[in-house]
Amino acid sequence: MQQSEESITKENKLTAKLNDSSLKDGVKDALPIILGYLPIGIAYGMLAVNKGLTPLQATAMSLFVFAGSAQLVSIEMIAAGAAVAAIVVMTFLVNLRHLLLSASLSLHLRNLPFYYYPFLGFLITDESFAVAMSKIESQKNKQRYFLGLGFTAYLGWVFSSAVGAFLTEFIDLGSGGALDFVLPAMFVVLLVMQISSRTEIIVALFSVFASLFFALTINGSWNIILATVLAAFLGVYIDGNS
């Protein structure tokens, strides 16, 4: 009798998993993200190879780092011969926002086994976080939804990076060229889209002039890191006194 009840319980759990559409919903909601990743991922792959990485190295960076802005900054710093410590610190600063993103998302993913969190945290990007926060509350199985969303977006980024990297093997891009404009153009667009107040304009202009000042007065690639930290402090100071 007890075995019969256990078998029924297992069947009910299996049926519930099969009928749960959370994973499929996550995969479906990731498709628009992939469309946005394709041009940037291809540009990243081509730029990385043009800067001296092999196609395998460029693809491996997407596999193990999975942070588009940090990857683009890193390859520029690698090409410039920056110190490893500077690259690590800059990557940390660029991705620092992920601490806030993951902390916010964790409120919707409570009481999971511990081994879930490192993997789900790795899959968080700005885009997947934005989609998840708008739709995850309505999902029955929230971790399966975000797993489908994040992992599908991850595969899209790796695929687009690999396409760009290996495509460069068959295209002569020359030295310099239009690809050198990819990184500054992308960040200029992101900056303009996010500026919406007088404070943000002041912080943006301060970071530009601070970076230029440190680039002219300090050897190496620490100008970006120093300008980022000082601009962040300035923004906090202005907000605290407004």
Side-chain angles (χ1 to χ4, degrees):
M1 184 71 176
Q2 185 176 359
Q3 289 181 346
S4 177
E5 290 178 354
E6 288 179 356
S7 62
I8 292 174
T9 302
K10 289 181 179 178
E11 288 179 3
N12 289 338
K13 288 182 178 179
L14 179 61
T15 302
K17 285 185 178 180
L18 292 174
N19 292 333
D20 182 17
S21 62
S22 298
L23 184 66
K24 185 164 67 170
D25 289 344
V27 173
K28 183 176 66 175
D29 289 343
L31 295 181
I33 297 177
I34 292 177
L35 292 178
Y37 281 172
L38 281 174
I40 300 176
I42 291 173
Y44 153 75
M46 299 178 76
L47 184 62
V49 174
N50 198 44
K51 292 294 182 180
L53 274 66
T54 67
L56 282 176
Q57 288 172 335
T59 304
M61 185 180 282
S62 289
L63 276 169
F64 296 110
V65 179
F66 186 41
S69 55
Q71 289 177 230
L72 286 164
V73 171
S74 296
I75 60 174
E76 288 288 341
M77 295 180 74
I78 291 171
V84 174
I87 297 173
V88 171
V89 171
M90 192 64 225
T91 301
F92 174 76
L93 290 175
V94 170
N95 289 333
L96 195 59
R97 70 192 185 283
H98 286 197
L99 290 176
L100 298 176
L101 299 183
S102 58
S104 179
L105 188 60
S106 68
L107 299 176
H108 301 275
L109 300 169
R110 292 177 173 175
N111 303 319
L112 296 178
F114 178 76
Y115 57 81
Y116 264 99
Y117 293 109
F119 184 63
L120 293 177
F122 175 75
L123 297 176
I124 293 177
T125 63
D126 297 321
E127 297 79 12
S128 62
F129 172 80
V131 173
M133 291 301 288
S134 65
K135 298 188 177 183
I136 198 170
E137 195 58 40
S138 62
Q139 293 296 322
K140 181 179 179 182
N141 194 320
K142 294 177 175 57
Q143 70 267 26
R144 283 170 63 85
Y145 173 79
F146 188 75
L147 181 64
L149 175 72
F151 192 67
T152 304
Y154 168 71
L155 292 178
W157 174 253
V158 174
F159 171 77
S160 59
S161 300
V163 169
F166 285 96
L167 187 64
T168 311
E169 292 283 282
F170 305 99
I171 300 176
D172 183 15
L173 297 171
S175 59
L179 280 180
D180 288 333
F181 189 63
V182 169
L183 182 62
M186 186 192 76
F187 280 106
V188 166
V189 170
L190 292 175
L191 177 65
V192 171
M193 289 174 62
Q194 293 181 25
I195 290 178
S196 58
S197 68
R198 180 172 172 269
T199 298
E200 291 170 352
I201 294 174
I202 294 172
V203 172
L205 291 174
F206 173 82
S207 63
V208 170
F209 289 114
S211 180
L212 291 173
F213 172 76
F214 290 127
L216 295 173
T217 57
I218 298 177
N219 293 327
S221 301
W222 292 95
N223 59 302
I224 301 174
I225 298 173
L226 293 172
T228 300
V229 173
L230 291 176
F233 276 113
L234 177 63
V236 172
Y237 175 79
I238 294 175
D239 282 340
N241 290 274
S242 60

